[in-house]
Structure formats: C-alpha cells, structure tokens
Amino acid sequence: GSTISWLDYSEEDQRRVREMLQLFSDSGTVDDLGTGTVRDAISNSLFPGTSVIQTRARYFLFVPWLFCRAEQKHPQQLVAKASDMERSLIEALRSGGDLAGLIGVDAGKNVRTLPSAIYWGGLVRYGIFLSPSLTIRQYGRHVARGLAALDSEDEIGDRLPSFWQRDIPDPPPEFFRFKSATFDLTRDEAEWLCERIISSDRPDRPLTLLTAYIRSLRRGEPLTAADAIWDAALPTDTPPSIADLVQHAQQFSCASQGAALLYNLMLAEDRLDTDLEPTDVTSIDNYRLRLDEWTATATRLRLAKWAAHIGEFWDCILDNRVRIPPGTRRFIDAWARLLVEGGPRHVTSSRGARALIRNREIEHKRGQARLANKKRLREWTGEAGTRLLVFRWPQVQNILIDIADGLNEPQFQSEHAVA
C-alpha cells in the first residue's frame, strides 16, 4: 500500500497532511475537483486554530500539562516521556467513562496520531505554546540542549517552563497518576481557554467567528445546536464581514455540492461501460435524483444570483489574506458562469458543465483522474465528495459545548474531573 511520511516539517504542515488523510477516510468529503483550498480558507478565517481532527476542548490543557511535566522531570527525553504520558492518558480517560471524542478510543495506547500532533497548531495559534516556529521534536531538542549543563535534580525540578504560558491552570492533584480523568473543564480552565482564544485575534482585524462565540458564551448566551454554521444563531457582536462570509460559505457549499453530484453522475454513466454491477450508490438514477433535490435547494438559496456576483465572494475570501491557486479560481469562476447562464436546473444536461468537470478533474488529478483512467474508475464505489461542506462547524461546536459547560461550573471546585 501507499504511505505518506515526513521528516521535520512544521506542525502546521503535518496537521494539513493528517487532516487530508482524515478527509480521505470519508469518501463524502474527498476533494476530487480541487476546491479544498477555498474550503480551508473559509474554515481558517471563521475558526482559526481548529481542524477536522480535533475533538474535545480539554486537550488544549492536557497537552501542555503533559509536556510541562516532561520538560521539568525528563528534559533529555521530553518528547518520548510526553508521548508515554499521552498514551497513559487514554486509559485514564477510558476509566473516566466519557469516550466521546477520545483520541485512541479504539487503538488505545497503540494509537498512531497523538493529541499533541492534532492540537499543536491550535496551541501555537492561541499562544499556549510560545515558540511558534518549533515543531514538537525541535522543541524537545531545544529543551535538551538548554538543560544539558544543569546537574542538580532540584534545579531541574524547580525550573519554570519557558516554552508554555505560565498562567495555565494547574492540573488536578491526582492527574499524573493516570487512574481516571474526564473531558470536563473546570470553571477556571474554561475561563483561561476563553482568554487564550480571544487574545489570539489580531487587533487590526475583525473578530473571528470563534472569538465572537467565545465572548457570547461568557455573556451567558446559549449555544444553538445546528448541523451547519448558517443554521446556527450568530453571536450578536459578529462583525458584518464575518456574517457575510458565513452566507458566502453556505452558497459556496451548495455550488460545490452541485459540481460534485454532476461529477458522480458522470462516473456512474462511465461505469456502465465496465463489467461491474451497479449498486444503489453507483446508479445513474441515484445521482439524477440527488441533482433534482440539489436543484430545488439551489433555487431556494438563489444560487444563480450569488454566482452572478462571484466577485463579491472572492472579495470576501481574499480580504482574509489567503492565496487561492489560479486553477481553482478559474474553475469556480467557470462553474459560476454556468450557473448563471443556464440556472441550476440545466446543470445535468449541460455539455459545457460536463466538459468543465471532466477537464477540471484531469487538471487536478492528472493520471489519477477517474474520468480519464478506467482503472481508477473501477475503484470508485460512489459518493465521492458529495456531502455539503460545513467548514469544521461540527468539531468547533463540540469544543464550544465543552467550554460552555465549563463556564457553568461552580467557581471553586477542588476534586474535579480526576478521581
């Protein structure tokens, strides 16, 4: 089988690879048409420091607690010792009984991707880890070199960690016994995490939506559960530019789904030329029906009107200082023109739309394009990238719920979350 590996690239680069692999594991979110850079640009603008592989808010404290401990007690083996403690934490959380969002819930101590790797980008973004240019391994090497001249165990034990925020709340008294733990934030922990997220916004830029939600929770405003961000109630102090971005995100998600459904319909049609038996998710009728449903949604959202002013979408996206590959922008602009010229209802029968989809997949995937490679076509099992883009909202919503619950805890609670 194929493998992906790296040497000592930044944690942000590694995070992107892990997120890509996570998306590949879900066929409904695969980026066959190469619009993922726009999806990520929107997600990063709304919810910086987050990713689709983050699960629970308390990991933002678990990781620094473990690394500070390793830095103080085992400076010459910091990364190895911290990793061992991360694996021990899995069993402690399992014993605590809250398995929702537990990293390693199935693999246990054999989990391959540890929480530190998943949360490192957020720890840097929120100013919890104070040396943003360092990867985890580079950080370990810096600590080892910095303590090499110290020969007193007391000196090492008393040394304050310089790589981490010093005002982080203390871990519970029995935390490092790893007997039992939960994801429940204390009031102090939730307040501290709120401060870190809020302070990470640049003063010369509008509030991010993540910060707006954090401020809303601190005011005691309820969080409305929703499947997508545009169905949730936005905080009262959401900047107009961010509210506009949410609306653009909804339209872009709808437009992207239409392209993905047409792509899958074309695959289903080409698949008839193979000796493979059709299935429910590879049948032409399935995708024609899905496209009919999509047309009704696109009409309700007035998608063609949005597409007619696609420049406003780009102004909103590029205002957040992101770079979109030229080929991606050309494809989205061309798809928007088709939506304007024929309307969503004519997408299925449009030769121009089909040619655009075919050419874009070949441009993006080259020899691996299913519409040009019969071997790759035979590997298609349906539902390639057909889900609505939701821009990390499910993951962010879970983290916000954790924070909201923590803010509702009593101010002082000594024995909390660890037995």
Side-chain angles (χ1 to χ4, degrees):
S2 300
T3 61
I4 294 179
S5 61
W6 51 78
L7 296 176
D8 206 9
Y9 299 117
S10 73
E11 299 303 325
E12 179 65 13
D13 292 336
Q14 296 184 27
R15 180 199 63 77
R16 290 195 188 100
V17 172
R18 292 187 183 95
E19 191 164 339
M20 177 185 70
L21 294 176
Q22 175 73 12
L23 291 171
F24 282 162
S25 69
D26 182 352
S27 60
T29 59
V30 172
D31 183 27
D32 286 292
L33 300 178
T35 60
T37 52
V38 179
R39 174 200 64 213
D40 292 346
I42 295 173
S43 301
N44 290 333
S45 296
L46 296 175
F47 308 118
T50 66
S51 77
V52 297
I53 51 179
Q54 290 175 358
T55 55
R56 303 295 297 269
R58 212 178 189 208
Y59 278 118
F60 284 111
L61 288 102
F62 287 152
V63 174
W65 284 341
L66 298 177
F67 274 80
C68 285
R69 179 78 164 191
E71 183 177 332
Q72 294 170 355
K73 300 296 184 181
H74 309 283
Q76 300 300 323
Q77 299 174 290
L78 187 155
V79 176
K81 292 297 184 180
S83 297
D84 289 344
M85 287 190 284
E86 288 188 82
R87 298 180 193 281
S88 295
L89 179 61
I90 294 171
E91 298 307 317
L93 288 165
R94 195 190 299 275
S95 297
D98 187 357
L99 304 184
L102 172 56
I103 297 171
V105 64
D106 296 321
K109 290 188 174 184
N110 296 320
V111 65
R112 300 181 68 177
T113 304
L114 292 169
S116 54
I118 293 171
Y119 282 79
W120 201 258
L123 293 168
V124 169
R125 163 74 192 195
Y126 306 144
I128 299 172
F129 183 74
L130 301 177
S131 297
S133 63
L134 298 183
T135 67
I136 293 176
R137 295 195 177 279
Q138 289 171 340
Y139 156 52
R141 291 196 291 267
H142 275 61
V143 170
R145 286 197 298 268
L147 296 179
L150 295 177
D151 55 7
S152 166
E153 184 175 349
D154 290 338
E155 283 182 281
I156 295 174
D158 292 341
R159 180 181 182 274
L160 290 174
S162 59
F163 290 91
W164 298 92
Q165 272 289 335
R166 300 189 182 207
D167 63 351
I168 184 172
D170 291 333
E174 302 296 317
F175 179 72
F176 293 108
R177 293 181 62 193
F178 299 111
K179 297 298 183 183
S180 180
T182 76
F183 289 110
D184 298 337
L185 290 167
T186 66
R187 176 71 173 273
D188 286 346
E189 292 167 5
E191 288 282 5
W192 178 83
L193 185 54
C194 286
E195 286 292 340
R196 296 315 319 150
I197 293 173
I198 291 172
S199 66
S200 69
D201 272 11
R202 290 178 48 176
D204 61 332
R205 303 289 296 166
L207 292 180
T208 64
L209 188 56
L210 181 61
T211 289
Y213 269 112
I214 292 296
R215 289 169 50 152
S216 174
L217 294 179
R218 296 181 81 179
R219 293 192 297 266
E221 298 174 5
L223 182 67
T224 304
D227 293 332
I229 184 58
W230 43 85
D231 294 325
L234 296 183
T236 54
D237 59 351
T238 300
S241 61
I242 296 299
D244 289 345
L245 181 57
V246 171
Q247 295 305 310
H248 281 300
Q250 181 181 20
Q251 298 283 1
F252 176 70
S253 179
C254 182
S256 297
Q257 187 183 43
L261 287 170
L262 179 58
Y263 169 65
N264 278 263
L265 173 62
M266 293 168 63
L267 292 175
E269 292 169 344
D270 284 5
R271 195 174 184 272
L272 289 180
D273 294 334
T274 71
D275 56 359
L276 298 173
E277 291 292 329
T279 66
D280 289 343
V281 291
T282 63
S283 72
I284 292 175
D285 291 342
N286 172 48
Y287 291 106
R288 287 190 176 276
L289 176 61
R290 298 273 301 277
L291 278 162
D292 287 343
E293 295 170 346
W294 171 81
T295 297
T297 300
T299 301
R300 175 176 57 82
L301 293 177
R302 303 177 72 183
L303 185 63
K305 181 178 180 180
W306 172 81
H309 299 88
I310 194 67
E312 295 178 5
F313 169 68
W314 290 121
D315 288 343
C316 190
I317 297 295
L318 299 178
D319 183 57
N320 290 280
R321 303 178 185 179
V322 299
R323 181 185 178 277
I324 305 300
T328 299
R329 184 164 180 174
R330 285 194 299 270
F331 168 67
I332 293 172
D333 285 343
W335 183 247
R337 285 194 296 272
L338 286 166
L339 292 174
V340 173
E341 292 167 1
R345 68 175 56 88
H346 297 296
V347 160
T348 303
S349 59
S350 169
R351 291 184 179 179
R354 288 168 174 264
L356 177 64
I357 295 295
R358 185 178 298 274
N359 291 338
R360 175 55 182 168
E361 194 210 11
I362 293 172
E363 177 190 41
H364 179 57
K365 296 168 61 179
R366 300 185 182 278
Q368 296 301 307
R370 296 187 182 100
L371 291 172
N373 184 326
K374 293 296 184 182
K375 180 181 178 181
R376 292 284 290 120
L377 174 64
R378 295 176 67 89
E379 296 169 357
W380 173 70
T381 57
E383 300 294 343
T386 57
R387 290 189 186 178
L388 275 174
L389 303 177
V390 290
F391 309 99
R392 303 179 195 156
W393 173 243
Q395 293 78 19
V396 171
Q397 185 171 227
N398 287 338
I399 288 172
L400 290 173
I401 289 171
D402 281 349
I403 293 173
D405 289 344
L407 293 174
N408 288 327
E409 288 291 310
Q411 184 65 46
F412 299 101
Q413 190 171 6
S414 57
E415 296 294 328
H416 189 287
V418 175

